[in-house]
Amino acid sequence: MSEVKHVVFDLGQVLIRWDPENAFRNMIPDDEERRAFLENVCSPEWNLEQDRGRSWSDAEAALIAKYPQHEKFIRAYRRRWWQMIPGAIEENVSIVEALIDRGIDVTALTNWAADTFEEAENRFAILSQFRGVTVSGRVKLVKPDPAIYDHHVGTFGLNPTETLFFDDNPDNVATARRMGWQAEQYVSTEKLTAALRRYGVAA
């Protein structure tokens, strides 16, 4: 195991809470109906294309053509987007801030639409504290495509074998490892802290 000189964090569900249901609990009160809408209409796969750079207008048009009966809810997805990120995971933000204060090189690699990320930068101070952030919607690549990992390495001058990556998605972690990164799946603050200590990054 190489010495870790760079730590890279995913953002959603690692540092910032993500709950699409939160935006629709009033609009679609029935739990099963709401979850079916978010699984089958405004699905994670559909949203990933906005993370890849597709415009919201194109995304809405394509979905409304297929599900015209859900037009109101489809358009609400972007309008109510703020309700989907109710806040930071403060204990993890504190860990990142402590790493930065100690002089550890910390960057972020996230699947996030360009326009909503720009709005998030104005809300979450931690996003301006990283040395830099690779945003999928800006580079038109999404995890777990190996190309976005190469882009991040090239942009920030990282040595993959000296890089430790945390992401809540096991597929993203698996790709990072195949690319030569050291990587761990994020599951809890306690395990994050333990991993940082195990890799010799945190006391």
Side-chain angles (χ1 to χ4, degrees), residues 81-95:
W81 177 81
W82 271 117
Q83 297 176 36
M84 300 181 194
I85 51 168
I89 303 175
E90 296 295 349
E91 55 270 35
N92 294 350
V93 168
S94 294
I95 289 171

Side-chain angles (χ1 to χ4, degrees), residues 92-167:
N92 294 350
V93 168
S94 294
I95 289 171
V96 172
E97 290 174 335
L99 292 174
I100 294 170
D101 288 345
R102 288 181 51 224
I104 303 296
D105 180 47
V106 184
T107 57
L109 172 58
T110 183
N111 283 352
W112 202 308
D115 62 330
T116 52
F117 185 80
E118 185 175 347
E119 295 175 14
E121 287 180 297
N122 295 323
R123 177 175 174 186
F124 297 101
I126 187 61
L127 298 180
S128 66
Q129 296 180 49
F130 294 104
R131 180 161 69 92
V133 182
T134 295
V135 180
S136 65
R138 291 175 177 170
V139 301
K140 306 297 192 291
L141 298 165
V142 294
K143 295 175 292 183
D145 184 343
I148 197 170
Y149 297 81
D150 278 341
H151 183 279
H152 192 79
V153 165
T155 299
F156 298 108
L158 309 185
N159 181 338
T161 63
E162 297 173 342
T163 298
L164 175 59
F165 178 53
F166 291 97
D167 195 300

